[in-house]
Amino acid sequence: MTPAHTARTTLAAVIAATLALGVFAALYRGPLGVHAASSAVADHSDGQSLKALLTGPLSAASLQSRPAQVSEGAPTRLLSPCRSNRSAQSVKVSIKQQHLWACHRAHLVMSTPVTTGRSQPGDATPRGTFAVEARVANTTLRPANGNKVHVTYWIPFSHNIYGFHDAPWQSMPYGSSRYRTEGSIGCVHVPLNALRDLFNWVKPGTAVEIS
């Protein structure tokens, strides 16, 4: 075999290997990309696209049939507890992680840091399973310490004593571990933008789980 023939044979082998590698890469990416995209919008009870439900505009007519928008900053890196949720509407709060998730069955529809009650006796946020009792806008709260505070949104979940509300007086960041000494006196403080979405999404009877 001449040197020229050997060179042509080697070049042909390299070209064939390169083409095969390109076909393999395309096949490898294609099905995975299609699967990921389709699974992200599948399995919703009313047949609507989950992507549309999470990003579409909110309206009074649609709030009863679809979850609210994710509203508070970048998506959380915490593990969502919605995976095991079976309720049509459920609000879950982790005191340890100082975080709130709103779930539509297994789908996460809202995620935000929060501030719960201080660790001292009598100020801790109660743990357990509760339910939204009402939705009240622009009201004055009268906590047990005798203060009067105006809030934009009030969502009580335990005997109209404990609930979700905004706290414009709070100076520390939401989600901070400083809640142990600087937190609420039992309620769950929620950033105003996130609370607005939560207020529009929940209804009396919505499950609230605090752990």
Side-chain angles (χ1 to χ4, degrees), residues 83-103:
R83 295 182 179 183
S84 59
N85 180 65
R86 296 295 177 265
S87 301
Q89 285 188 319
S90 180
V91 180
K92 301 179 184 294
V93 176
S94 168
I95 294 177
K96 179 180 180 180
Q97 299 179 85
Q98 291 292 284
H99 210 88
L100 177 152
W101 299 266
C103 309

Side-chain angles (χ1 to χ4, degrees), residues 49-58 66-70:
S49 163
L50 178 60
K51 182 178 180 181
L53 292 177
L54 297 182
T55 60
L58 292 172
R66 69 175 187 162
Q69 294 172 306
V70 175

Side-chain angles (χ1 to χ4, degrees), residues 128-168:
T129 301
F130 310 92
V132 169
E133 297 171 348
R135 300 183 305 164
V136 183
N138 294 314
T139 189
T140 298
L141 302 181
R142 295 173 173 80
N145 61 10
N147 292 337
K148 294 181 180 181
V149 294
H150 179 270
V151 296
T152 304
Y153 300 107
W154 167 238
I155 309 172
F157 56 75
S158 179
H159 308 292
N160 203 38
I161 298 174
Y162 299 104
F164 304 104
H165 64 80
D166 48 303

Side-chain angles (χ1 to χ4, degrees), residues 59-73:
S59 67
S62 63
L63 285 172
Q64 298 304 317
S65 61
R66 69 175 187 162
Q69 294 172 306
V70 175
S71 62
E72 192 60 31

Side-chain angles (χ1 to χ4, degrees), residues 28-49:
Y28 181 75
R29 287 194 302 268
L32 289 180
V34 171
H35 176 73
S38 61
S39 64
V41 298
D43 190 29
H44 191 272
S45 61
D46 57 11
Q48 299 181 60
S49 163

Side-chain angles (χ1 to χ4, degrees), residues 1-10:
M1 183 179 293
T2 65
H5 185 270
T6 300
R8 286 195 297 272
T9 301
T10 302

